């Protein structure tokens, strides 16, 4: 049931509203030298922040400046769909700084996304979809190539799954427990007083 084209899920056709092909992105129209100049402008340099974070300030920027960087690149206030695409490709690491190599990879990804947006539609025939489903074949495109932002909770969880993550500590062994610490002790020595 809908009222004026709105449902409890939002717009009448949320899939169409969030697909990448419904918007015009201008990231591929910006010159690569402009990206490099903008990166150089926001370098940390010999600032106290660079020494505090122990990074090379000559090749690193703060991730907090990515929004300002986009505003400068577009020479206007970016729209929501542009911010979604920019942060999807640029802001995927958990650290506070971004190195030049990582920025160049992110720019390549956002330029490719902008130049050739892909439709999320993978099938034009039900028979082909049924055959792939019976064979457990997955769709070759991921959500980041076809959508502006995550559409479901499942998308939100795996939205940045393909991107490199910082190493995780896998040492979760239990070193000791209350039982192993008190093994061989008497009740009196465990509780610290004599039992009568």
């Amino acid at each position: 049931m809908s009222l004026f084209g709105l449902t409890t899920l939002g717009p009448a056709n949320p899939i169409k509203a969030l697909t990448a092909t419904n918007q015009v992105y201008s990231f591929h129209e910006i010159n690569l030298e402009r990206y490099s100049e903008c990166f150089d402008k926001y370098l940390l340099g010999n600032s106290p922040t660079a020494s505090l974070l122990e990074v090379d300030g000559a090749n690193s920027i703060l991730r907090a400046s990515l929004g300002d960087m986009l505003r400068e690149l577009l020479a206007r206030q970016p729209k929501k769909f542009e911010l979604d695409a920019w942060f999807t490709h640029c802001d995927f690491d958990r650290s506070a700084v971004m190195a030049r190599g990582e920025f160049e990879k992110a720019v390549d990804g956002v330029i490719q996304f902008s130049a050739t947006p892909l439709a999320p539609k993978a099938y034009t025939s039900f028979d082909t979809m049924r055959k792939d489903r019976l064979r457990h074949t997955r769709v070759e495109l991921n959500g980041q190539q076809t959508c502006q932002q995550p559409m479901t909770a499942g998308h939100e969880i795996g939205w940045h799954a393909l991107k490199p993550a910082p190493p995780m500590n896998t040492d979760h062994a239990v070193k000791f427990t209350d039982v192993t610490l008190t093994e061989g002790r008497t009740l009196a020595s465990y509780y610290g007083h004599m039992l009568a």
Side-chain angles (χ1 to χ4, degrees):
M1 188 168 138
S2 67
L3 176 68
F4 302 112
L6 296 176
T7 65
T8 56
L9 299 174
N13 194 349
I15 294 174
K16 185 177 179 186
L18 291 176
T19 56
T21 52
N22 280 354
Q23 306 295 342
V24 178
Y25 297 93
S26 59
F27 298 116
H28 63 284
E29 297 169 358
I30 300 171
N31 198 352
L32 283 175
E33 288 82 27
R34 230 67 203 267
Y35 284 105
S36 181
E37 289 170 6
C38 201
F39 184 85
D40 291 339
K41 180 179 177 185
Y42 286 93
L43 283 174
L44 289 174
N46 293 330
S47 67
T49 307
S51 60
L52 182 67
L53 294 173
E54 299 176 356
V55 295
D56 178 19
N59 287 318
S60 301
I61 61 168
L62 287 175
R63 286 187 192 279
S65 61
L66 285 171
D68 298 330
M69 191 181 291
L70 179 61
R71 187 180 311 116
E72 187 173 323
L73 284 167
L74 295 175
R76 60 174 169 78
Q77 185 68 29
K79 297 184 170 109
K80 184 182 181 318
F81 66 90
E82 292 169 329
L83 283 169
D84 288 337
W86 177 253
F87 285 122
T88 292
H89 291 352
C90 290
D91 192 22
F92 55 81
D93 196 0
R94 295 180 200 158
S95 68
V97 294
M98 180 181 242
R100 186 178 298 273
E102 186 182 351
F103 179 74
E104 288 170 355
K105 276 189 205 174
V107 166
D108 289 342
V110 79
I111 287 174
Q112 182 182 0
F113 174 80
S114 171
T116 56
L118 301 170
K121 176 176 67 172
Y123 299 103
T124 55
S125 160
F126 176 74
D127 291 333
T128 342
M129 184 190 76
R130 187 171 49 85
K131 286 177 191 172
D132 279 354
R133 202 167 154 195
L134 289 174
R135 293 183 191 142
H136 300 288
T137 307
R138 296 191 60 99
V139 180
E140 70 241 17
L141 302 174
N142 63 10
Q144 290 180 337
Q145 294 173 319
T146 58
C147 298
Q148 302 168 23
Q149 63 186 18
M151 293 175 55
T152 64
H155 267 172
E156 287 178 10
I157 292 168
W159 193 248
H160 297 295
L162 299 176
K163 298 176 180 173
M168 294 180 64
N169 183 10
T170 56
D171 184 20
H172 298 293
V174 176
K175 305 284 190 249
F176 55 85
T177 66
D178 195 35
V179 173
T180 59
L181 285 175
T182 60
E183 188 175 17
R185 294 173 65 185
T186 64
L187 285 175
S189 65
Y190 179 71
Y191 286 110
H193 54 80
M194 297 296 295
L195 296 175

